[in-house]
Amino acid sequence: MALGRISALRFAGGTPDRLVVAPIDLRIADPHIAEEIYSGRFAMGGSMIDTSGGSPFQIEVANQSFNRSLHGFGWLRHMRAADHDLAFANARALVDDWIVVEGRELGGLAFEPDVLATRLIAWFSHSPIVLRGADHGFYRRFLKSIALQTRYLKHVAGAMPGDATRFKARIALAMASLCLPSSAGAVRAASRNLDSEIDAQILPDGGHVSRNPMVLIELLTNLLPLKQTYINLGQKPPRNLAAGMDRMFSALRFFRHSSGELVLFNGASAVSADRLLGVLRYDETSGTAFREMPHSHYQRLSSGNAVVVADTGAPPRGGLSSQAHAGCLSFELSSGANCFIVNAGAPVVSHTSYADFARMTAAHSTVTLGDRSSLTFSHSEFLGPIVTGGVRRVSVESLDEEGKHQGFSASHDGYVGRLKLLHRRKIRLLSSGHELQGRDEILKPDETAPGADNQTSAVARFHIHPTISVSMDDDGVVHLTAGDGETWAFVARDLKPNIEEDVHFADLAGARTSKQITLEFDVGTQSQVDWKLIRTNLPRA
């Protein structure tokens, strides 16, 4: 949302006399990054900028991801981790510099709601180090700026679309109601607004309406300190907060592989193990992960050390689809400490040229028809990158048979409009956890086989995690071997697999090369493909 540049005088008001409390920050901090910042080197959003002693807020940088990180001030946590007066003075100088450069006019990237909410949360959380040793003049400027930004965010929040950004804005405003001297009515109003977001955006199964698993980590990282702040102040938390967070934790468990990694569906990217565990350590719920998420529309099969998670849902509508991927019926397989079959995932830095490619069906472990994606996306600046066509209906049927296997059959209509074809996938994980059986069928809308004259090409792709070694023997069996020695074999009936070069987008260090298995066929001559993944060697002790 952009309102253009607005004079700060429009949102002028009283200046609070103090901050009441400083919430904790659960994000990982590195004191070495504080040293780099002190030296004028800012590494964010996939870019490294050397300010050469100048203000980072007066340097033009084309990378918008860098700019959002810079103006979001999440990097203050590194100054706190450095834990010495020089780092604290540097943090204070940079905050003061921002107030001078950006604080007189409200608008531009620095006042985009997501950036603004991130900055307020960071300033509240790290106010102890920013204010340590500060003179009265800076103390007043800091409080005046926080109050001004809070009033502006409150003004724009009501008109924001109902997505994760508005959720974060409501978290920041609830935090402001606690950290700044506020009336009881103001605290209750902020609490009610946050309750409304929990109701609207967190589904009964704990997933987020965007269907992006990574959003849960982002939200919980901010909700956990907020909840503790309510408790520390003796304030009544929002009515839905505890139950909503419990559901989110359950969903997060659902989306974790046996290796501890997060699944890569619908905009999810690499998350460091420390960050994920930093959130999950506060999980007070118990029990195993669900077999299915009926509202978020995902399936989870688990037996022995093997875990399979599959996307069996249509994309959300409108703005909520801006990060949706065309990966319907894709799946990921992990076993023990390793992920074997994955999706390519979203790039960690969203501005990269890979972002559009990552959303295509070909970047997912599923079937592509006619070299097209099962979703179409808008390229309009006005609409944004939302879904404009493709999958509308996904039907799912359980194939579970106690004592034998867990499984499902699902089909989607993403190709009906253009190719008059359905994709149906059946997957079974045997109770031993040593074998995954799959079948991909291409059908006409009446669920009969296509005619022999149908020349549509099909490719079933199985993207291999970049840490896995891939080889093929003389019999056409593909062997996937992890570093600890665990090996799975991929075999297909009546088709010889191909091993091809691939790109894995979701890596903390940036996109990296990997491999993929492909099965190519024409639906007119072969409308059904059977394949298996069989564990052939256990990990070394």
Side-chain angles (χ1 to χ4, degrees), residues 502-535:
D502 198 12
V503 178
H504 186 73
F505 299 124
D507 193 274
L508 292 171
R512 58 190 293 191
T513 58
S514 56
K515 301 288 185 182
Q516 62 177 316
I517 301 168
T518 61
L519 299 174
E520 300 179 21
F521 56 102
D522 291 323
V523 303
T525 56
Q526 184 172 357
S527 61
Q528 176 180 305
V529 175
D530 292 312
W531 48 266
K532 292 181 181 179
L533 280 153
I534 305 167
R535 183 191 281 129

Side-chain angles (χ1 to χ4, degrees), residues 108-241:
L109 179 143
F111 282 86
E112 289 181 2
D114 184 62
V115 178
L116 172 53
T118 301
R119 181 170 60 251
L120 279 174
I121 291 170
W123 282 19
F124 286 132
S125 298
H126 301 293
S127 57
I129 64 122
V130 172
L131 294 173
R132 189 175 301 178
D135 59 31
H136 178 74
F138 173 80
Y139 194 95
R140 182 170 175 79
R141 287 193 300 277
F142 182 67
L143 292 177
K144 183 178 181 180
S145 180
I146 278 186
L148 175 71
Q149 294 177 61
T150 298
R151 285 191 289 269
Y152 180 77
L153 184 60
K154 187 181 296 184
H155 174 75
V156 301
M160 290 168 60
D163 57 13
T165 298
R166 190 172 76 184
F167 203 135
K168 184 191 286 187
R170 293 303 188 192
I171 293 172
L173 291 170
M175 198 172 282
S177 76
L178 300 176
C179 296
L180 298 171
S182 305
S183 67
V187 174
R188 286 195 299 270
S191 177
R192 284 195 302 271
N193 286 331
L194 182 54
D195 259 336
S196 295
E197 297 306 324
I198 296 171
D199 272 345
Q201 297 196 41
I202 303 304
L203 299 168
D205 58 20
H208 185 258
V209 287
S210 67
R211 303 191 69 242
N212 182 345
M214 198 167 179
V215 169
L216 298 175
I217 299 175
E218 298 285 347
L219 293 177
L220 283 168
T221 299
N222 291 319
L223 286 172
L224 282 161
L226 178 63
K227 179 184 176 185
Q228 191 58 48
T229 304
Y230 276 106
I231 294 170
N232 291 346
L233 293 177
Q235 295 276 7
K236 186 177 180 181
R239 175 175 49 85
N240 298 324
L241 183 60

Side-chain angles (χ1 to χ4, degrees), residues 352-397:
T352 69
S353 58
Y354 296 126
D356 289 340
F357 293 107
R359 300 181 76 187
M360 295 180 177
T361 300
H364 297 79
S365 292
T366 186
V367 174
T368 303
L369 296 181
D371 198 27
R372 302 182 181 189
S373 284
S374 60
L375 297 178
T376 54
F377 304 103
S378 165
H379 297 286
S380 159
E381 287 190 18
F382 176 72
L383 294 175
I386 65 171
V387 173
T388 55
V391 177
R392 292 292 182 185
R393 183 174 180 272
V394 183
S395 60
V396 185
E397 177 186 356

